[in-house]
mmCIF file of all heavy atoms in Angstrom:
data_model
loop_
_atom_site.group_PDB
_atom_site.id
_atom_site.type_symbol
_atom_site.label_atom_id
_atom_site.label_comp_id
_atom_site.label_asym_id
_atom_site.label_seq_id
_atom_site.Cartn_x
_atom_site.Cartn_y
_atom_site.Cartn_z
ATOM 1 N N GLY A 1 3.903 1.455 0.156
ATOM 2 C CA GLY A 1 2.800 1.683 -0.744
ATOM 3 C C GLY A 1 2.955 2.962 -1.551
ATOM 4 O O GLY A 1 2.749 2.907 -2.778
ATOM 5 N N TYR A 2 3.458 3.959 -0.931
ATOM 6 C CA TYR A 2 3.714 5.291 -1.664
ATOM 7 C C TYR A 2 4.754 5.076 -2.775
ATOM 8 O O TYR A 2 4.607 5.491 -3.886
ATOM 9 C CB TYR A 2 4.154 6.324 -0.619
ATOM 10 C CG TYR A 2 4.564 7.601 -1.320
ATOM 11 C CD1 TYR A 2 3.666 8.496 -1.776
ATOM 12 C CD2 TYR A 2 5.947 7.878 -1.451
ATOM 13 C CE1 TYR A 2 4.093 9.670 -2.431
ATOM 14 C CE2 TYR A 2 6.365 9.040 -2.010
ATOM 15 C CZ TYR A 2 5.471 9.970 -2.532
ATOM 16 O OH TYR A 2 5.853 11.135 -3.099
ATOM 17 N N LEU A 3 5.889 4.412 -2.376
ATOM 18 C CA LEU A 3 6.899 4.177 -3.334
ATOM 19 C C LEU A 3 6.440 3.326 -4.480
ATOM 20 O O LEU A 3 6.830 3.479 -5.668
ATOM 21 C CB LEU A 3 8.165 3.590 -2.717
ATOM 22 C CG LEU A 3 8.863 4.515 -1.673
ATOM 23 C CD1 LEU A 3 9.884 3.713 -0.871
ATOM 24 C CD2 LEU A 3 9.569 5.625 -2.449
ATOM 25 N N SER A 4 5.629 2.309 -4.206
ATOM 26 C CA SER A 4 5.076 1.423 -5.269
ATOM 27 C C SER A 4 4.189 2.201 -6.237
ATOM 28 O O SER A 4 4.326 1.987 -7.425
ATOM 29 C CB SER A 4 4.280 0.330 -4.596
ATOM 30 O OG SER A 4 5.068 -0.539 -3.762
ATOM 31 N N LEU A 5 3.420 3.098 -5.605
ATOM 32 C CA LEU A 5 2.547 3.901 -6.535
ATOM 33 C C LEU A 5 3.334 4.863 -7.355
ATOM 34 O O LEU A 5 3.031 4.994 -8.558
ATOM 35 C CB LEU A 5 1.452 4.602 -5.646
ATOM 36 C CG LEU A 5 0.354 5.291 -6.467
ATOM 37 C CD1 LEU A 5 -0.430 4.283 -7.303
ATOM 38 C CD2 LEU A 5 -0.637 6.020 -5.551
ATOM 39 N N ARG A 6 4.342 5.416 -6.749
ATOM 40 C CA ARG A 6 5.206 6.330 -7.584
ATOM 41 C C ARG A 6 5.901 5.536 -8.700
ATOM 42 O O ARG A 6 6.168 6.113 -9.738
ATOM 43 C CB ARG A 6 6.331 6.973 -6.711
ATOM 44 C CG ARG A 6 5.635 8.103 -5.833
ATOM 45 C CD ARG A 6 6.536 9.192 -5.511
ATOM 46 N NE ARG A 6 7.434 9.567 -6.547
ATOM 47 C CZ ARG A 6 8.425 10.426 -6.451
ATOM 48 N NH1 ARG A 6 8.620 10.995 -5.271
ATOM 49 N NH2 ARG A 6 9.117 10.800 -7.454
ATOM 50 N N ALA A 7 6.143 4.244 -8.439
ATOM 51 C CA ALA A 7 6.779 3.453 -9.491
ATOM 52 C C ALA A 7 5.755 2.896 -10.515
ATOM 53 O O ALA A 7 6.081 2.271 -11.420
ATOM 54 C CB ALA A 7 7.523 2.335 -8.843
ATOM 55 N N GLY A 8 4.468 3.220 -10.310
ATOM 56 C CA GLY A 8 3.433 2.793 -11.182
ATOM 57 C C GLY A 8 2.832 1.563 -10.934
ATOM 58 O O GLY A 8 2.005 0.957 -11.718
ATOM 59 N N ASP A 9 3.146 0.923 -9.751
ATOM 60 C CA ASP A 9 2.610 -0.377 -9.404
ATOM 61 C C ASP A 9 1.473 -0.194 -8.380
ATOM 62 O O ASP A 9 1.638 -0.267 -7.217
ATOM 63 C CB ASP A 9 3.720 -1.265 -8.833
ATOM 64 C CG ASP A 9 3.304 -2.749 -8.637
ATOM 65 O OD1 ASP A 9 2.104 -3.033 -8.682
ATOM 66 O OD2 ASP A 9 4.227 -3.528 -8.510
ATOM 67 N N ASP A 10 0.338 0.088 -8.877
ATOM 68 C CA ASP A 10 -0.842 0.387 -8.048
ATOM 69 C C ASP A 10 -1.304 -0.922 -7.279
ATOM 70 O O ASP A 10 -1.841 -0.814 -6.149
ATOM 71 C CB ASP A 10 -1.994 1.043 -8.785
ATOM 72 C CG ASP A 10 -2.561 0.202 -9.836
ATOM 73 O OD1 ASP A 10 -1.858 -0.442 -10.632
ATOM 74 O OD2 ASP A 10 -3.810 0.161 -9.989
ATOM 75 N N ARG A 11 -1.141 -2.040 -7.872
ATOM 76 C CA ARG A 11 -1.579 -3.271 -7.109
ATOM 77 C C ARG A 11 -0.679 -3.477 -5.913
ATOM 78 O O ARG A 11 -1.123 -3.883 -4.838
ATOM 79 C CB ARG A 11 -1.429 -4.435 -8.127
ATOM 80 C CG ARG A 11 -2.527 -4.412 -9.127
ATOM 81 C CD ARG A 11 -2.494 -5.444 -10.202
ATOM 82 N NE ARG A 11 -2.829 -6.766 -9.565
ATOM 83 C CZ ARG A 11 -2.621 -7.895 -10.253
ATOM 84 N NH1 ARG A 11 -2.097 -7.878 -11.503
ATOM 85 N NH2 ARG A 11 -2.998 -8.955 -9.650
ATOM 86 N N LYS A 12 0.628 -3.270 -6.012
ATOM 87 C CA LYS A 12 1.556 -3.402 -4.846
ATOM 88 C C LYS A 12 1.245 -2.359 -3.859
ATOM 89 O O LYS A 12 1.274 -2.557 -2.602
ATOM 90 C CB LYS A 12 2.936 -3.335 -5.401
ATOM 91 C CG LYS A 12 3.968 -3.822 -4.331
ATOM 92 C CD LYS A 12 5.392 -3.927 -5.012
ATOM 93 C CE LYS A 12 6.346 -4.598 -4.087
ATOM 94 N NZ LYS A 12 7.636 -4.747 -4.754
ATOM 95 N N ALA A 13 0.940 -1.134 -4.335
ATOM 96 C CA ALA A 13 0.613 -0.069 -3.422
ATOM 97 C C ALA A 13 -0.660 -0.377 -2.621
ATOM 98 O O ALA A 13 -0.660 -0.275 -1.345
ATOM 99 C CB ALA A 13 0.364 1.260 -4.176
ATOM 100 N N GLU A 14 -1.640 -1.009 -3.276
ATOM 101 C CA GLU A 14 -2.883 -1.370 -2.606
ATOM 102 C C GLU A 14 -2.580 -2.458 -1.533
ATOM 103 O O GLU A 14 -3.066 -2.390 -0.390
ATOM 104 C CB GLU A 14 -3.898 -1.910 -3.497
ATOM 105 C CG GLU A 14 -5.208 -2.330 -2.902
ATOM 106 C CD GLU A 14 -6.299 -2.813 -3.801
ATOM 107 O OE1 GLU A 14 -6.029 -2.873 -5.051
ATOM 108 O OE2 GLU A 14 -7.337 -3.113 -3.318
ATOM 109 N N TYR A 15 -1.730 -3.374 -1.889
ATOM 110 C CA TYR A 15 -1.312 -4.481 -0.931
ATOM 111 C C TYR A 15 -0.794 -3.778 0.381
ATOM 112 O O TYR A 15 -1.219 -4.157 1.447
ATOM 113 C CB TYR A 15 -0.292 -5.334 -1.581
ATOM 114 C CG TYR A 15 0.411 -6.263 -0.563
ATOM 115 C CD1 TYR A 15 -0.255 -7.486 -0.168
ATOM 116 C CD2 TYR A 15 1.591 -5.964 -0.101
ATOM 117 C CE1 TYR A 15 0.353 -8.316 0.764
ATOM 118 C CE2 TYR A 15 2.272 -6.785 0.859
ATOM 119 C CZ TYR A 15 1.534 -7.936 1.263
ATOM 120 O OH TYR A 15 2.251 -8.745 2.153
ATOM 121 N N TRP A 16 0.168 -2.909 0.173
ATOM 122 C CA TRP A 16 0.839 -2.291 1.387
ATOM 123 C C TRP A 16 -0.160 -1.418 2.149
ATOM 124 O O TRP A 16 -0.145 -1.498 3.390
ATOM 125 C CB TRP A 16 2.131 -1.544 0.978
ATOM 126 C CG TRP A 16 3.232 -2.431 0.665
ATOM 127 C CD1 TRP A 16 3.795 -2.596 -0.577
ATOM 128 C CD2 TRP A 16 3.861 -3.365 1.497
ATOM 129 N NE1 TRP A 16 4.861 -3.583 -0.573
ATOM 130 C CE2 TRP A 16 4.822 -3.977 0.717
ATOM 131 C CE3 TRP A 16 3.711 -3.689 2.774
ATOM 132 C CZ2 TRP A 16 5.652 -4.996 1.315
ATOM 133 C CZ3 TRP A 16 4.553 -4.634 3.335
ATOM 134 C CH2 TRP A 16 5.553 -5.320 2.554
ATOM 135 N N TYR A 17 -0.999 -0.669 1.486
ATOM 136 C CA TYR A 17 -1.940 0.139 2.171
ATOM 137 C C TYR A 17 -2.913 -0.697 2.981
ATOM 138 O O TYR A 17 -3.260 -0.395 4.060
ATOM 139 C CB TYR A 17 -2.656 1.143 1.277
ATOM 140 C CG TYR A 17 -1.770 2.247 0.643
ATOM 141 C CD1 TYR A 17 -2.066 2.634 -0.650
ATOM 142 C CD2 TYR A 17 -0.686 2.741 1.294
ATOM 143 C CE1 TYR A 17 -1.220 3.640 -1.227
ATOM 144 C CE2 TYR A 17 0.172 3.623 0.712
ATOM 145 C CZ TYR A 17 -0.140 4.119 -0.577
ATOM 146 O OH TYR A 17 0.659 5.088 -1.159
ATOM 147 N N ARG A 18 -3.439 -1.729 2.346
ATOM 148 C CA ARG A 18 -4.464 -2.606 3.006
ATOM 149 C C ARG A 18 -3.773 -3.332 4.191
ATOM 150 O O ARG A 18 -4.446 -3.456 5.195
ATOM 151 C CB ARG A 18 -5.005 -3.589 2.021
ATOM 152 C CG ARG A 18 -5.996 -2.954 1.087
ATOM 153 C CD ARG A 18 -6.857 -3.960 0.366
ATOM 154 N NE ARG A 18 -7.691 -3.377 -0.570
ATOM 155 C CZ ARG A 18 -8.863 -2.801 -0.356
ATOM 156 N NH1 ARG A 18 -9.309 -2.723 0.858
ATOM 157 N NH2 ARG A 18 -9.644 -2.248 -1.313
ATOM 158 N N LYS A 19 -2.544 -3.730 4.062
ATOM 159 C CA LYS A 19 -1.838 -4.371 5.140
ATOM 160 C C LYS A 19 -1.693 -3.398 6.290
ATOM 161 O O LYS A 19 -1.892 -3.765 7.466
ATOM 162 C CB LYS A 19 -0.524 -4.882 4.606
ATOM 163 C CG LYS A 19 0.209 -5.782 5.591
ATOM 164 C CD LYS A 19 1.360 -6.487 4.892
ATOM 165 C CE LYS A 19 2.138 -7.285 5.960
ATOM 166 N NZ LYS A 19 2.312 -8.649 5.639
ATOM 167 N N ALA A 20 -1.295 -2.166 6.012
ATOM 168 C CA ALA A 20 -1.083 -1.170 7.027
ATOM 169 C C ALA A 20 -2.422 -0.888 7.714
ATOM 170 O O ALA A 20 -2.489 -0.755 9.026
ATOM 171 C CB ALA A 20 -0.560 0.178 6.435
ATOM 172 N N LEU A 21 -3.469 -0.727 6.924
ATOM 173 C CA LEU A 21 -4.782 -0.378 7.556
ATOM 174 C C LEU A 21 -5.387 -1.544 8.341
ATOM 175 O O LEU A 21 -6.180 -1.327 9.206
ATOM 176 C CB LEU A 21 -5.741 0.142 6.440
ATOM 177 C CG LEU A 21 -5.342 1.515 5.887
ATOM 178 C CD1 LEU A 21 -6.110 1.814 4.627
ATOM 179 C CD2 LEU A 21 -5.543 2.528 6.946
ATOM 180 N N ALA A 22 -5.065 -2.753 7.932
ATOM 181 C CA ALA A 22 -5.536 -3.926 8.722
ATOM 182 C C ALA A 22 -4.953 -3.814 10.083
ATOM 183 O O ALA A 22 -5.614 -4.274 11.091
ATOM 184 C CB ALA A 22 -5.169 -5.148 8.055
ATOM 185 N N LEU A 23 -3.671 -3.342 10.291
ATOM 186 C CA LEU A 23 -3.005 -3.311 11.553
ATOM 187 C C LEU A 23 -3.390 -2.019 12.318
ATOM 188 O O LEU A 23 -3.554 -2.068 13.524
ATOM 189 C CB LEU A 23 -1.498 -3.253 11.347
ATOM 190 C CG LEU A 23 -0.907 -4.653 10.911
ATOM 191 C CD1 LEU A 23 0.503 -4.442 10.433
ATOM 192 C CD2 LEU A 23 -1.029 -5.660 12.012
ATOM 193 N N GLU A 24 -3.592 -0.933 11.569
ATOM 194 C CA GLU A 24 -3.941 0.356 12.241
ATOM 195 C C GLU A 24 -5.005 1.042 11.410
ATOM 196 O O GLU A 24 -4.660 1.920 10.586
ATOM 197 C CB GLU A 24 -2.709 1.233 12.314
ATOM 198 C CG GLU A 24 -1.662 0.839 13.364
ATOM 199 C CD GLU A 24 -0.545 1.823 13.498
ATOM 200 O OE1 GLU A 24 -0.686 3.042 13.106
ATOM 201 O OE2 GLU A 24 0.559 1.394 13.937
ATOM 202 N N PRO A 25 -6.262 0.697 11.613
ATOM 203 C CA PRO A 25 -7.332 1.245 10.793
ATOM 204 C C PRO A 25 -7.427 2.781 10.903
ATOM 205 O O PRO A 25 -7.950 3.419 9.931
ATOM 206 C CB PRO A 25 -8.602 0.594 11.297
ATOM 207 C CG PRO A 25 -8.131 -0.572 12.086
ATOM 208 C CD PRO A 25 -6.737 -0.322 12.534
ATOM 209 N N ASP A 26 -6.957 3.392 11.929
ATOM 210 C CA ASP A 26 -7.062 4.843 12.114
ATOM 211 C C ASP A 26 -5.764 5.495 11.751
ATOM 212 O O ASP A 26 -5.614 6.787 12.056
ATOM 213 C CB ASP A 26 -7.476 5.144 13.550
ATOM 214 C CG ASP A 26 -8.891 4.769 13.885
ATOM 215 O OD1 ASP A 26 -9.693 4.609 12.903
ATOM 216 O OD2 ASP A 26 -9.245 4.573 15.069
#
């Protein structure tokens, strides 16, 4: 997610962050 955002792909970043948080909300 971080690397995607650094590359300017905020949609891909959101995908990875949401996937991570679905597994570990905390």
Side-chain angles (χ1 to χ4, degrees):
Y2 173 78
L3 291 169
S4 298
L5 190 57
R6 286 212 37 189
D9 191 344
D10 64 317
R11 292 173 70 189
K12 194 171 189 179
E14 180 178 2
Y15 167 82
W16 286 115
Y17 293 149
R18 287 194 184 278
K19 190 168 175 126
L21 290 168
L23 291 168
E24 287 183 23
D26 291 340

